[in-house]
Amino acid sequence: MVTFFEASLDTISVHHVGNQALNELYSLSDHPIILKDDIIPNLLMQYFLKPFEKANEVYHLTHSSGDLNLNELHHFATQVFDDKEKFHEASKQIAKHLFKVANHPNIKGGELYVVYFNQVQIEGNPLDAIGIFKSENKETYLKVYPDTGGFQVDYEQDAININKLDKGVLIFNIEKENGYKVVVVDKTNGGQDAAIYWKDQFLQLKIRNDSFNQTSNTLGIYKNFVTQKLDDEFEMSKADKIDLLNRSMKYFKEKDTFDMDEFTGEVIGNEKAIESFKNFKSQYEQEFDSPIANTFEISDNAVKKQARVYKSVLKLDKNFHIYIHGDNKLIEKGFDDDKHMNYYKVYFKEEA
């Protein structure tokens, strides 16, 4: 999704943002950092941009009022894209905005890096981008070096691990009228209440309704329907539910395009259950204001991501796990009157 093999780091400003709920302050720098060699920029590029290589979700900046001009990040990004001379001043305003919204007591203070990049690629398109990154967690590093015929060991406290970006966002100079293209990294800590401030309060994001999002949402909705809703209307064993999940994943892996009528006919089959699923989907669309088309191109990356949480394991007390990957007609459930226990009978041709 995001690549940076042709990218370069143009300008970087660093500020410190504390937590006002803990009576901490913010500290703003007077000017951008001067990078004196090639090593530091390369390390910073790895620290800032490497985590975005696996980012599939694309967002837009938005505002609850519907007026995009009221989104602070959209305002500051537009200032900079229109006139790069305003970069450092805008970076200070961004730090002040973060300080204002980051007021939950569990939010950690830290350095805020605002960076202007050239030629970062998103979806194959090389663009200028503004990066905003926050480092919240520090580590201690050991240093071993030669000394008088042997070695010495030293350490450095409160150092940053360049392989662990805590929070970051890239705002690309494209689709300004829609809220720009935005990708985000958020390694949440401090609990759910503290987690929402980066995406929801600081950035105010809305996910782009593309094929990745529609594929991911449809699989997620169907999984919740099978595991949570079906029990209200049908008597189904866990093995039957796993079979329904396996059939849906098989459909998404084999097809290039999703079709609602085809999917429900091939995977669900039962007319009453089909109607229930469509109603369940409609409720989701209304609640989250995220319409899903009846036909869309299937995203392989979204299928791979959802496949990790699609469980095909039947857990029996603490004694057995049965992995069901195929025909559920080869497993039968019963009850043993003598032992007063449930059982499953499994049919197979040979042991592997």
Side-chain angles (χ1 to χ4, degrees), residues 60-112:
H60 293 303
L61 299 170
T62 187
H63 193 269
S64 58
S65 69
D67 186 353
L68 190 54
N69 295 317
L70 295 178
N71 181 293
E72 287 85 348
L73 269 297
H74 189 274
H75 173 72
F76 298 136
T78 299
Q79 275 190 340
V80 175
F81 287 137
D82 288 345
D83 182 1
K84 202 158 60 174
E85 292 297 318
K86 297 180 178 179
F87 171 80
H88 185 68
E89 181 58 34
S91 76
K92 293 195 288 186
Q93 297 304 317
I94 289 170
K96 291 179 181 179
H97 172 54
L98 179 61
F99 179 76
K100 179 181 178 181
V101 301
N103 54 15
H104 189 280
N106 289 346
I107 294 173
K108 296 180 180 179
E111 285 71 44
L112 184 73

Side-chain angles (χ1 to χ4, degrees), residues 5-49:
F5 56 89
E6 294 181 347
S8 60
L9 191 157
D10 185 298
T11 312
I12 175 171
S13 295
V14 182
H15 312 287
H16 183 89
V17 178
N19 186 330
Q20 61 175 313
L22 302 177
N23 295 319
E24 298 173 349
L25 303 176
Y26 61 80
S27 177
L28 305 178
S29 58
D30 294 330
H31 47 72
I33 288 179
I34 298 174
L35 302 175
K36 298 179 180 180
D37 56 44
D38 293 333
I39 297 176
I40 295 297
N42 289 334
L43 291 174
L44 289 174
M45 291 278 284
Q46 178 182 339
Y47 176 48
F48 293 142
L49 297 181

Side-chain angles (χ1 to χ4, degrees), residues 28 40 47 53 59 61 84 97 100 115 155 157 191 194 197 203 220 243 251 254 269 284 323 336:
L28 305 178
I40 295 297
Y47 176 48
E53 288 184 324
Y59 296 83
L61 299 170
K84 202 158 60 174
H97 172 54
K100 179 181 178 181
V115 188
Y155 67 94
Q157 289 183 309
Y197 87 94
L203 298 171
D243 179 61
Y251 176 94
E254 293 180 351
Y284 171 91
Y323 292 80
D336 189 298

